[in-house]
Each structure stands twice: as C-alpha cells, then as structure tokens.
Amino acid sequence: MTIAANQAKTSVSVGFIEKRPLQLYVAPEKPSLVGISRPALAEALGRAGVPERQRRMRVQQIWHWLYVRGAKSFDEMTTLSKELRVCLADHFTLARPEIAAEQISVDGTRKWLIRLPGELDGRSHEVECVYIPEADRGTLCISSQVGCTLNCTFCHTGTQRLVRNLTAGEIAGQVVLARDRLSDWRNEAAAGNEPEKRLVSNIVMMGMGEPLYNFEAVRDGLGVVADGDGLSISKRRITLSTSGVVPNIARAGAEIGAMLAVSLHAVTDELRNQLVPLNRKYPIAELLTACRNYPGLSNARRVTFEYVMLKGINDSLADARALVRLIKGIPAKINLIPFNPWPGSKYECSDWAQIEKFSEIVFDAGYASPVRTPRGRDILAACGQLKSASEKLSARERLALRAMALTD
Ligand code: SAH
Ligand code: SF4
C-alpha cells in the first residue's frame, strides 16, 4: 500500500480549525517491524510481496539485523538485496517506541518516559521503563499496560484508570529502546571471542500494569525478548510479576515460561482484600495453589513472593511467622519491598529496624529474604511510583514526592 493510501485510511478528522481539518490522531503511516513475533513478521513480509518460499530465510536475516545488530534502518541490512531493502522501506519502518524524557538518578538508575501512539481522544499515551544497573547485572523494568484496571491501595499506578494495553511490539520495543540508548548492541569487533557482557541482562515485568491481564501481547513480546537468535535474554532472567490473576498463572507457566513473582503483601484474606482488591476474586489459598503448581519449580527456580512493608499494617513479627507457614513447601524467596510513598498515599514505610527483624524471621525459616533497595527514588522510578500516561502529576505533586523520597 502506498503511503498516501495509508494516510488516507488512518487519519481521523474530527473537527476544523480555520477550515482546516483537525487531525486528532494520525496512526503511524507505516507499521514498525520492531518487536513483532516471527509469525507476524513472516505475514508482514507476505503483505509486502515476499514469496512464501523465501519468507523463513528473510525472517531469519531480518531478525538478526534487528535483534543482534540493533539495525535502525533497512539500509544497514546488507545481507538483503538492495531491491528488497527498498521494498521493505516502502512498506514498513523500524521505529521504536519514542522516548519523551530521560532521567538519570544519582544512583545510575535511568527512567525513560515512553510516548506511544494515542487513541481517538488525541492524547498520546505514556508509560515508564526503568533501567537499574547493579554490580553483577543490569535489570530493565518494563510496562505492560498504560494504567491498570486493578486498584491496589498502596500503588500509584493503581490510582490511574486503564488507558490501554501495550502491543507485543511495544513490550519488546522497550528492550530494543534500552539497548539503543545504552549502546548495548553486539560489538562485531568483540564477537566470537568471550561471551559478551550485556548491560541489559535481566528483565522484570514490574512496571505499569498487570501483565496477566494483557496475556497474549505479554506472551508474544517476551517471546521476542527470549528468542535465542535475537535479544536472547533467557527466560530464567525474565521475571513476570502478577498481583494474582489465578487462572492465567498456569497459562503463563505453559505459554510464557518466565520466572514468576507474586505480589502477596498480606497473610490473611481480610487484609489482602483491602490491599490487593483482586484477592476478593482470587483468595490467598487459590493463589498459593496456583504457585505450587507452577511448572518447573525447584530450589534453583523459585517463585518470588513480593511483600511491601507497610508500617503498622502488615509488618508485625506475627505476620512474618504466618508468612513462612503459609508458603511452606513452595520453593520460594521473599522479596521485602520498602513502601515507596507517593502524593496522597495513605501508608508509611515500616521502620528499618522492623524490616530487619521481619527479614530475620523469614531468613531463619530458610528463605532468602532480600530487602529490595529502593533505586532511583529521586527520579520517582522506584516500585509503585510509576504513573504517567494521560494523567500527569502536577509540578507541585512531583516536588512533594521528591521531597518525601529524599527525606526518608
Ligand atoms: N501489576 C503487577 C506488576 C507491577 S507492580 C503486580 O502487581 O505484581 C510491581 C511491584 O511493585 C508489585 O509487587 C507491587 O505490589 C509493588 N508496588 C506497587 N506499589 C508500590 C509502592 N508504592 N511501594 C513499593 N512497592 C510497590
Ligand atoms: Fe496494578 Fe500491580 Fe499496581 Fe496493583 S500493584 S494497581 S496490579 S500495577
């Protein structure tokens, strides 16, 4: 299809300014090939006229350019004929999600505000993606939805309505974008020698949104991320965090195969109903059964239980003892997350002394219980602080939050 025809099809005119149509939303003129699955790529090539018998090989070649070499233009794909490169450029782009803003924390954490194509309301959508460098790894925290349908009472994202699901391309696109930004593509000169150390070595799906309520896109996007001939981040280094969408946990085990993290946060249904309202639908007992049955669990492959430390709410030593009783028999580790405040939040973070005592009980029961060091608090990049998209904080709210983060 020509660009002109495409534009005619996708421009939506909903009003007039000085007799000129007001274009509230113009979809990309040409679709991007970045982040789509192999079958979707083969189908796209078919639409561009690539004969069926060639498609497999072309997919393999393009895949290598996109995900090993980080190609940003078809011109770079020198193993394809000039004619094919021109044809591809006529039909597609290699556009990544657009970075609207970048912030770098004093601790090296980077947060990217990513702008995604908008909807008919004319507003573009934004999600956040956070890179956390550590001594032995570099973790990229990616988003699955703009906003969230769930309303966990301690989570900033939960105060924002669900605006839309991300596509598979936008999910894998966050990894591509991080590799671009960090110059983290394969260095041809070094290739073939020692295995390269990549800056982005681990992925956590712990950004905005509930990944198991955007199942297919998350599955396909993570499939691209884990593909061994491409981005090649093994499934053991990809962790998917869910607030407890029980029916999709087994499905995630079968179809995605990433490491599982579960946002538990409470040991009784009464309290969890308040903190994670989804618990009313899928109570703790059902959630833990789904965890027990998660495929491939072993001491080397454990479920992570996330537990946000809320002062006077869920942080008593009796809670710690109940927690270890509750998860008995499940190969697990417990990730204690100091609560990150946000403007209007009604909770306080537990005192450090209390977090340590809590952690000791868990540790003594035989579970690794790392306390997640808050990273990037000065740029509002820590867990549960992410909120952007169509609803932005006012400058005053941001200042208040920054002050809070820096003083505790
Ligand atoms: N929706 C998914 C994944 C995104 S949230 C989930 O709920 O698991 C990633 C983690 O951050 C979850 O464990 C969540 O409970 C936690 N979190 C949310 N708000 C937080 C806050 N204000 N302080 C600390 N952790 C928070
Ligand atoms: Fe959504 Fe997770 Fe936040 Fe709950 S904690 S509101 S599920 S993003």
Side-chain angles (χ1 to χ4, degrees):
M1 201 187 294
T2 63
I3 298 175
N6 241 343
Q7 269 176 344
K9 214 176 150 189
T10 52
S11 299
V12 179
S13 118
V14 289
F16 291 87
I17 298 178
E18 293 171 349
K19 299 205 172 130
R20 275 186 292 114
L22 172 64
Q23 308 289 328
L24 279 192
Y25 170 59
V26 181
E29 290 160 4
K30 297 183 261 185
S32 171
L33 296 184
V34 172
I36 63 175
S37 65
R38 281 175 184 265
L41 180 55
E43 202 185 294
L45 295 185
R47 285 202 307 277
V50 174
E52 192 167 358
R53 65 194 145 73
Q54 284 185 18
R55 276 180 223 160
R56 233 181 107 113
M57 183 179 77
R58 298 297 178 217
V59 165
Q60 190 61 25
Q61 288 172 315
I62 295 171
W63 202 262
H64 178 85
W65 283 108
L66 283 180
Y67 302 121
V68 178
R69 309 286 287 274
K72 295 191 185 68
S73 78
F74 291 107
D75 274 349
E76 292 172 53
M77 301 186 174
T78 48
T79 51
L80 305 181
S81 69
K82 179 99 198 346
E83 200 188 0
L84 179 57
R85 283 184 262 151
V86 171
C87 163
L88 291 174
D90 278 346
H91 288 80
F92 309 110
T93 72
L94 300 180
R96 284 79 162 122
E98 183 193 340
I99 297 184
E102 175 179 64
Q103 284 174 283
I104 305 180
S105 159
V106 286
D107 68 13
T109 300
R110 287 174 187 236
K111 182 172 85 171
W112 295 292
L113 182 64
I114 295 175
R115 186 173 297 138
L116 304 168
E119 297 276 347
L120 289 172
D121 63 6
R123 298 194 292 194
S124 59
H125 297 148
E126 289 165 352
V127 288
E128 285 170 327
C129 176
V130 180
Y131 174 67
I132 307 151
E134 286 173 280
D136 62 336
R137 67 182 66 189
T139 304
L140 189 71
C141 176
I142 62 178
S143 294
S144 56
Q145 297 182 310
V146 182
C148 188
T149 45
L150 303 171
N151 303 102
C152 303
T153 46
F154 52 87
C155 174
H156 205 201
T157 309
T159 63
Q160 184 194 331
R161 72 189 170 92
L162 175 72
V163 180
R164 77 163 166 88
N165 283 330
L166 266 61
T167 63
E170 290 165 343
I171 290 167
Q174 293 171 67
V175 181
V176 172
L177 178 151
R179 287 220 157 132
D180 283 349
R181 205 64 203 147
L182 298 166
S183 303
D184 193 27
W185 294 110
R186 186 164 105 177
N187 173 353
E188 276 309 291
N193 302 327
E194 291 178 19
E196 278 176 273
K197 205 162 177 277
R198 284 296 169 80
L199 294 175
V200 178
S201 61
N202 292 55
I203 304 292
V204 291
M205 189 141 248
M206 294 184 185
M208 291 168 65
E210 168 47 58
L212 294 189
Y213 275 148
N214 183 14
F215 192 91
E216 282 83 6
V218 167
R219 176 195 60 203
D220 294 351
L222 292 182
V224 172
V225 174
D227 190 295
D229 291 328
L231 293 168
S232 208
I233 299 177
S234 107
K235 288 185 176 172
R236 299 186 58 125
R237 290 178 173 271
I238 301 178
T239 303
L240 182 152
S241 173
T242 178
S243 56
V245 184
V246 166
N248 283 350
I249 290 180
R251 210 180 151 203
E255 297 180 36
I256 301 177
M259 305 296 282
L260 179 68
V262 170
S263 295
L264 190 58
H265 307 317
V267 292
T268 63
D269 281 325
E270 196 192 351
L271 180 58
R272 196 164 188 272
N273 285 347
Q274 287 171 36
L275 299 179
V276 184
L278 185 66
N279 194 69
R280 295 194 199 119
K281 201 163 176 191
Y282 306 117
I284 293 176
E286 285 181 30
L287 176 58
L288 293 180
T289 302
C291 293
R292 269 195 188 88
N293 295 334
Y294 194 71
L297 287 190
S298 68
N299 282 341
R301 203 165 177 272
R302 296 164 190 255
V303 178
T304 301
F305 287 104
E306 295 158 286
Y307 197 95
V308 63
M309 298 299 295
L310 303 170
K311 186 173 186 166
I313 305 283
N314 65 353
D315 65 348
S316 74
L317 303 187
D319 285 322
R321 286 188 281 270
L323 175 59
V324 293
R325 274 199 306 275
L326 203 57
I327 62 168
K328 198 160 188 263
I330 306 178
K333 55 187 166 201
I334 294 169
N335 202 334
L336 301 178
I337 316 175
F339 170 65
N340 287 310
W342 37 273
S345 58
K346 56 182 182 186
Y347 301 105
E348 276 180 73
C349 181
S350 309
D351 297 331
W352 281 104
Q354 188 66 12
I355 298 180
E356 268 170 23
K357 282 189 223 151
F358 195 106
S359 159
E360 239 169 67
I361 293 178
V362 174
F363 183 79
D364 288 346
Y367 296 97
S369 56
V371 178
R372 195 182 288 173
T373 325
R375 298 289 302 264
R377 273 190 174 189
D378 55 331
I379 56 167
L380 314 188
C383 286
Q385 290 185 312
L386 303 183
K387 177 186 173 179
S388 58
S390 322
E391 279 177 61
K392 283 207 199 115
L393 298 177
S394 69
R396 201 151 36 99
E397 281 178 316
R398 276 192 182 267
L399 280 176
L401 181 53
R402 203 155 295 157
M404 259 193 272
L406 292 175
T407 50
D408 57 40

